Amino acid sequence: MIVPSCSQVEILSHPSVGCFLTYCGWNYSTIESLAAGVRMVAFPQWSDQGMNSNLAQDVWKTGVRVTKSEEGTIESHEINRYWELVMENEEIRRSAKKIWKDLATEMQENVGCFSCQCLVGSFLRT
C-alpha cells in the first residue's frame, strides 16, 4: 500500500519497529523516538541535529551517531554496521525502552499532555 503521508508517531509506536535512522531533529524525530522508546541511528546534517545526536549517544544512551567520510557521505554497509550495533546493544535497548518510554508514559498520564513542550519540560526535570 502506498499512502501520501502517514503519522511518524504511529509508525514509531508500532511494536515491530526496533530502530530509527534519523537526522535527529529535535521537534519530531528525537522527541518522538524517545517517547516511543525506539533506538536511534543518528545521521545529523546541520543545526541542532549534531547536539541531539550527541545527547542520544553519549548522555541518554538511546542510539549511536554515524561517522561520515570526509565527503560527508556514508556507505550502506556502514549503516548496516551501526544498525546491528544498536539492535544488539542491551544498554541502548534498555535505555530507550525502559527509561525514556516510561518517562513519556508517566508524563502523559500525570500531566495529560504529549506535546513537545510537555516532553521537554519533563525531560528537564529528570
Side-chain angles (χ1 to χ4, degrees):
M1 173 173 38
I2 298 174
V3 295
S5 68
C6 58
S7 167
Q8 184 169 281
V9 172
E10 288 180 34
I11 292 170
L12 290 172
S13 298
H14 194 278
S16 67
V17 175
C19 185
F20 180 35
L21 176 62
T22 174
Y23 290 123
C24 266
W26 180 257
N27 285 340
Y28 297 103
S29 298
T30 302
I31 291 290
E32 291 173 356
S33 294
L34 291 171
V38 174
R39 296 164 274 192
M40 294 178 258
V41 172
F43 190 29
Q45 301 299 302
W46 64 293
S47 186
D48 65 332
Q49 299 165 358
M51 179 188 68
N52 299 338
S53 64
N54 285 340
L55 289 168
Q57 176 177 283
D58 300 328
V59 178
W60 304 326
K61 310 284 189 214
T62 57
V64 295
R65 180 179 176 160
V66 302
T67 304
K68 298 182 262 186
S69 70
E70 289 182 19
E71 295 82 28
T73 61
I74 186 164
E75 300 289 327
S76 61
H77 68 276
E78 284 293 300
I79 293 288
N80 288 337
R81 186 175 67 81
Y82 285 109
W83 195 276
E84 289 171 1
L85 175 68
V86 166
M87 293 302 290
E88 294 171 1
N89 186 299
E90 183 61 26
E91 180 184 15
I92 293 174
R93 186 197 65 78
R94 189 174 43 252
S95 290
K97 285 285 184 200
K98 185 71 178 143
I99 298 168
W100 290 101
K101 186 173 183 177
D102 287 356
L103 178 62
T105 301
E106 178 184 340
M107 188 226 31
Q108 185 174 7
E109 290 171 356
N110 293 332
V111 180
C113 141
F114 196 64
S115 70
C116 288
Q117 293 84 1
C118 286
L119 284 170
V120 168
S122 181
F123 291 155
L124 293 175
R125 288 188 292 276
T126 61

